[in-house]
Amino acid sequence: MNFFTKETKTALQAKEQALWLAFAPIAFQASKALRDLGILKVVADSGTQGVTIEDILEKVKLSRYSARVLLEAGLGLEMLIINDKRYTLTKTGFFILNDTLTRINMDFSADVCYKAMYHLQDSLTEGKPLGLKELGEWETIYPGLSLLPEPARTSWFNFDHYYSDLAFPAVLPIVFEQKPKKLLDIGGNTGKWSMACARYNEDVHVTIVDLPAQVNVAKKNIAEAGLEDRIDFYITNILDESQPFAQGYDVIWMSQFLDCFSEAEIISILRRCREALNEGGSIFILEPFWNKQQFKSAAFCLQQTSLYFTAIANGNSQMYHTDDFFNCIRAAGLEVVLENNDVGLSYTLLRCVKA
Amino acid sequence: MNFFTKETKTALQAKEQALWLAFAPIAFQASKALRDLGILKVVADSGTQGVTIEDILEKVKLSRYSARVLLEAGLGLEMLIINDKRYTLTKTGFFILNDTLTRINMDFSADVCYKAMYHLQDSLTEGKPLGLKELGEWETIYPGLSLLPEPARTSWFNFDHYYSDLAFPAVLPIVFEQKPKKLLDIGGNTGKWSMACARYNEDVHVTIVDLPAQVNVAKKNIAEAGLEDRIDFYITNILDESQPFAQGYDVIWMSQFLDCFSEAEIISILRRCREALNEGGSIFILEPFWNKQQFKSAAFCLQQTSLYFTAIANGNSQMYHTDDFFNCIRAAGLEVVLENNDVGLSYTLLRCVKA
């Protein structure tokens, strides 16, 4: 990956990009309004023939003025083009309307991040997620996740699950290669992964570690699936170093979990994982690393998502570069014996063992 | 100008653009923080040699974590590149740091628009500038302009004046070609244009028309310049149709003024201008029209600025397309006899006479 080593723009293109950035908040809200007020759909349905503003006004409830300023903004945003007063959709408009990844990211930006991001600069200088107050009165977002006001709650979980749902099927065979009997699922969240494990292998017993609010949600899901005899729970705050993990696990699993912590916290968690591990056992870590992406835009999404952690989640975590993350693994007395960079949409699966 | 008639992107480029839009609020705040926390300046000063994160931390007051997440976001935003762990500035980064136009637009977006734009969609459907409440309790922004909280006030006036200051010298010779004796300056604001006229031609007498708060500011400036015997004032709300203008003007001047009104209001204002005009007199209109721009990015800026009018200024005005604007001129019984599209940065000068 060497997306970020060379200047790629002419002076004119760079000035265009600078002006885009200067108007980015307006561009964002305009794109979302074009999508949510139904204008993109009407234009999309018209195909290559296109629609006039009069056609659009028959199908959406807007004044001519409102439709016009939005459509004109959409031209500049390259979501629409116009010929003979007929608007048609561009590929960018198509993705804003139809691409699930784009939609989930946009909803996350709008519902979780927009207001909170106003406090980014102060969050960076003070080292605290000062934007979080726009959503609720917690010190970090984690105890508040299931209590977030709507639509932030739905948008947060859609964002969180979209990526991991695509990755799980690919990694199950790797995790179960050595037929683990006891598996520890740290940050088990809604119980999705633990249930997938219990279904994939009928001999495995899983323990979910998480905060009380998350465990409540997982318990309910697992009971409904009839898997409560093979999955149990360990309620703890993983940041509390005085609380040891239980011992004797063949596999410890952490999916999209360690990016929620600072480097010092990652080292502390991994050290305790090391102690909980049976001889010959493995720690599997599933993470998106921005420097391991096939597409520049995937790296871009992760780099910007880091600032959600800064301003909203907890003020000290991020989507990591492997250089920084592997330093933590080594500092915890572990070594990486497998690195699979082709998991799901943007994940790397790491297998770590005692060094 | 046919910037908006053709699809210009491959599917991959379009998906990149869609994802950019999806993260635009984060991208905006990251760009601004990179600028305002001094990181871009440190990187710029390092020239082609570049700087490591350690070098940067010696010069800016930030944690390593905060500097790192911002720098990594800056890579994705194409404001920086990295080679051998040394960051250097791209042209986009250069423009964000040094280009006055970009800086003024970014400050306007941040200080006037960011919070307010959250209410864009509701403003569009309700036809009211519902974002304005983030700045103060006015029905439109105009009575509140000199009362805006800082830094919104400074950013608003910088934005407003930057464009017109570049245009004034170019249009004075055209406006004074027919040696007008009496000139009406509608929406005279701080008095800049009237003072420029009084200095350009020693025979002209100017009357400024504006709201009370603006006239107070202009009066002070004009007294300080010693021009009070050649510039007088007419305090009125131009939207009040029961208040006729004074009669007998050779030239009526409106700079960046009619874009603050709806089409019905523009027609009403222009009709009364027509009545106030001497035989053979001219109405000069200086406006940026988005469809008359030489550069696509200039059109983009105007198209996005329209949504500031929608969500913040008054809910019914915009940066117009000439098709819609010329319809208003015709409806007021006027005709365009001069159209000069090369004024200042992005302006068109129109001379209109009775049809």
Side-chain angles (χ1 to χ4, degrees):
Chain A
M1 192 209 67
N2 61 350
F3 301 129
F4 305 115
T5 58
K6 282 191 211 114
E7 168 77 72
T8 60
K9 290 190 155 48
T10 65
L12 186 63
Q13 289 169 332
K15 181 134 177 184
E16 276 184 9
Q17 174 134 334
L19 288 168
W20 255 77
L21 280 167
F23 281 104
I26 305 181
F28 177 77
Q29 296 294 350
S31 307
K32 188 166 177 291
L34 278 161
R35 186 192 79 175
D36 292 349
L37 293 173
I39 292 183
L40 289 188
K41 179 76 168 62
V42 174
V43 179
D45 290 346
S46 75
T48 53
Q49 207 189 343
V51 272
T52 62
I53 190 167
E54 286 76 22
D55 300 333
I56 292 169
L57 289 173
E58 280 175 20
K59 295 193 179 152
V60 300
K61 264 194 175 174
L62 280 177
S63 70
R64 187 186 175 84
Y65 162 78
S66 290
R68 187 174 66 204
V69 287
L70 259 191
L71 287 162
E72 291 174 358
L75 293 175
L77 295 168
E78 302 183 334
M79 289 163 61
L80 306 167
I81 52 174
I82 187 166
N83 284 288
D84 301 327
K85 310 212 169 195
R86 302 183 82 83
Y87 290 93
T88 50
L89 204 67
T90 64
K91 299 186 191 85
T92 302
F94 173 87
F95 285 120
I96 294 285
L97 180 63
N98 295 310
D99 179 52
T100 308
L101 176 64
T102 302
R103 179 173 289 265
I104 281 173
N105 285 332
M106 183 173 268
D107 288 344
F108 178 74
S109 287
D111 301 330
V112 178
C113 301
Y114 189 88
K115 284 184 179 174
M117 271 297 143
Y118 191 77
H119 309 282
L120 174 64
Q121 191 165 322
D122 291 341
S123 303
L124 286 160
T125 51
E126 297 192 26
K128 284 183 193 154
L130 297 177
L132 181 56
K133 60 175 173 253
E134 300 285 352
L135 295 166
E137 294 296 326
W138 306 285
E139 279 194 34
T140 75
I141 204 169
Y142 301 108
L145 277 184
S146 44
L147 309 166
L148 287 174
E150 288 292 357
R153 187 176 179 277
T154 298
S155 295
W156 193 95
F157 280 98
N158 284 346
F159 180 76
D160 191 58
H161 288 179
Y162 181 68
Y163 296 90
S164 53
D165 284 0
L166 291 169
F168 285 175
V171 297
L172 280 165
I174 303 173
V175 171
F176 279 90
E177 215 168 285
Q178 295 169 306
K179 309 212 185 305
K181 298 282 179 222
K182 285 191 71 188
L183 187 147
L184 191 65
D185 177 8
I186 303 185
N189 209 293
T190 59
K192 272 195 181 188
W193 168 256
S194 290
M195 292 191 283
C197 288
R199 288 189 184 114
Y200 185 82
N201 181 302
E202 57 185 19
D203 296 327
V204 74
H205 188 96
V206 183
T207 301
I208 290 178
V209 179
D210 217 322
L211 295 168
Q214 265 78 291
V215 164
N216 281 340
V217 175
K219 252 188 188 154
K220 193 165 157 283
N221 294 338
I222 286 159
E224 278 170 15
L227 292 166
E228 60 269 64
D229 57 329
R230 311 216 353 252
I231 304 175
D232 60 17
F233 301 92
Y234 180 58
I235 295 172
T236 187
N237 176 0
I238 198 134
L239 290 180
D240 180 354
E241 297 193 348
S242 70
Q243 304 206 10
F245 297 176
Q247 304 287 312
Y249 290 95
D250 304 312
V251 159
I252 298 178
W253 169 259
M254 286 171 281
S255 168
Q256 206 175 297
F257 177 70
L258 291 173
D259 53 61
C260 303
F261 299 97
S262 72
E263 289 158 284
E265 290 166 346
I266 292 172
I267 295 170
S268 158
I269 293 167
L270 287 177
R271 280 199 182 128
R272 283 175 285 151
C273 285
R274 188 181 185 281
E275 288 163 21
L277 207 60
N278 286 335
E279 272 317 301
S282 299
I283 299 170
F284 285 97
I285 298 169
L286 189 65
E287 276 292 333
F289 296 108
W290 66 260
N291 63 314
K292 295 290 177 183
Q293 301 305 310
Q294 256 187 295
F295 294 99
K296 189 176 181 177
S297 57
F300 166 83
C301 292
L302 294 170
Q303 289 159 335
Q304 307 312 308
T305 300
S306 284
L307 299 176
Y308 145 79
F309 288 103
T310 309
I312 301 167
N314 62 1
N316 60 18
S317 64
Q318 69 167 119
M319 295 304 189
Y320 284 93
H321 188 290
T322 46
D323 280 359
D324 299 308
F325 198 86
F326 281 36
N327 280 342
C328 298
I329 291 174
R330 279 188 289 271
L334 298 168
E335 65 173 316
V336 176
V337 293
L338 169 85
E339 177 184 332
N340 182 337
N341 291 310
D342 293 316
V343 181
L345 206 61
S346 52
Y347 281 98
T348 294
L349 179 69
L350 299 177
R351 184 157 84 87
C352 304
V353 300
K354 292 181 189 177
Chain B
M1 193 208 66
N2 62 349
F3 301 130
F4 304 116
T5 58
K6 283 191 210 115
E7 168 77 72
T8 59
K9 291 191 156 45
T10 64
L12 186 63
Q13 289 169 333
K15 181 134 176 183
E16 277 185 8
Q17 173 133 334
L19 289 168
W20 256 77
L21 279 168
F23 283 104
I26 305 181
F28 177 78
Q29 296 294 350
S31 308
K32 188 166 175 290
L34 278 161
R35 186 192 79 174
D36 292 349
L37 294 172
I39 293 182
L40 289 188
K41 178 76 168 61
V42 174
V43 179
D45 289 346
S46 75
T48 53
Q49 208 190 341
V51 272
T52 63
I53 190 168
E54 287 75 21
D55 299 333
I56 292 168
L57 289 173
E58 280 176 20
K59 296 194 178 150
V60 300
K61 264 194 177 175
L62 280 178
S63 70
R64 187 186 175 85
Y65 162 78
S66 290
R68 187 174 66 204
V69 288
L70 258 191
L71 287 163
E72 290 175 358
L75 293 175
L77 294 168
E78 303 183 333
M79 288 161 62
L80 305 167
I81 53 174
I82 187 165
N83 284 287
D84 301 327
K85 309 211 170 197
R86 305 182 80 83
Y87 291 92
T88 48
L89 203 67
T90 64
K91 299 187 191 85
T92 302
F94 174 87
F95 285 121
I96 295 284
L97 180 62
N98 295 309
D99 179 50
T100 308
L101 175 65
T102 303
R103 179 173 288 267
I104 281 173
N105 285 332
M106 182 172 269
D107 288 344
F108 178 74
S109 287
D111 302 330
V112 179
C113 300
Y114 190 87
K115 286 184 178 175
M117 270 298 143
Y118 192 77
H119 309 281
L120 174 64
Q121 192 166 321
D122 292 340
S123 303
L124 286 159
T125 51
E126 297 192 27
K128 284 183 193 153
L130 296 177
L132 181 56
K133 61 175 172 253
E134 301 284 352
L135 296 167
E137 294 296 327
W138 306 285
E139 280 196 32
T140 74
I141 204 170
Y142 301 107
L145 278 183
S146 43
L147 309 166
L148 286 174
E150 289 292 356
R153 186 176 180 276
T154 298
S155 295
W156 193 96
F157 279 99
N158 284 346
F159 180 76
D160 190 58
H161 288 178
Y162 181 67
Y163 296 90
S164 54
D165 285 0
L166 290 170
F168 284 175
V171 296
L172 280 165
I174 304 173
V175 171
F176 280 91
E177 214 170 285
Q178 294 169 306
K179 310 213 182 307
K181 298 282 180 223
K182 283 189 72 188
L183 187 147
L184 191 67
D185 178 8
I186 301 184
N189 208 294
T190 59
K192 272 195 182 189
W193 166 256
S194 290
M195 291 191 283
C197 289
R199 288 188 184 115
Y200 185 83
N201 181 302
E202 58 184 19
D203 296 327
V204 74
H205 188 97
V206 183
T207 301
I208 290 178
V209 178
D210 217 322
L211 295 168
Q214 265 79 293
V215 164
N216 281 342
V217 175
K219 252 189 189 155
K220 194 165 156 283
N221 294 337
I222 286 159
E224 277 169 15
L227 292 166
E228 61 268 64
D229 56 330
R230 303 200 17 236
I231 304 175
D232 61 18
F233 302 92
Y234 181 57
I235 295 173
T236 187
N237 177 0
I238 199 133
L239 290 180
D240 180 354
E241 297 194 346
S242 69
Q243 303 206 12
F245 297 176
Q247 305 286 313
Y249 291 95
D250 303 313
V251 158
I252 298 177
W253 168 258
M254 285 171 283
S255 168
Q256 207 173 297
F257 176 70
L258 291 172
D259 52 61
C260 303
F261 299 97
S262 72
E263 289 158 286
E265 290 166 346
I266 292 172
I267 295 169
S268 159
I269 292 167
L270 288 177
R271 279 199 183 128
R272 284 175 285 150
C273 286
R274 188 180 186 280
E275 287 163 21
L277 206 61
N278 286 334
E279 273 315 302
S282 299
I283 299 170
F284 285 97
I285 298 169
L286 189 66
E287 276 292 333
F289 296 109
W290 67 260
N291 63 313
K292 294 292 178 183
Q293 301 305 310
Q294 255 189 295
F295 293 100
K296 190 176 181 178
S297 58
F300 167 81
C301 292
L302 294 170
Q303 289 159 335
Q304 308 312 309
T305 300
S306 285
L307 299 176
Y308 145 80
F309 288 104
T310 308
I312 302 167
N314 62 1
N316 60 19
S317 65
Q318 69 167 119
M319 294 304 190
Y320 284 93
H321 188 290
T322 45
D323 281 359
D324 299 308
F325 198 87
F326 282 37
N327 280 342
C328 297
I329 292 173
R330 279 188 289 271
L334 297 168
E335 66 173 315
V336 175
V337 292
L338 169 85
E339 177 185 332
N340 181 339
N341 290 310
D342 294 315
V343 180
L345 207 61
S346 53
Y347 281 98
T348 295
L349 180 69
L350 298 176
R351 185 158 83 87
C352 304
V353 299
K354 292 182 188 179

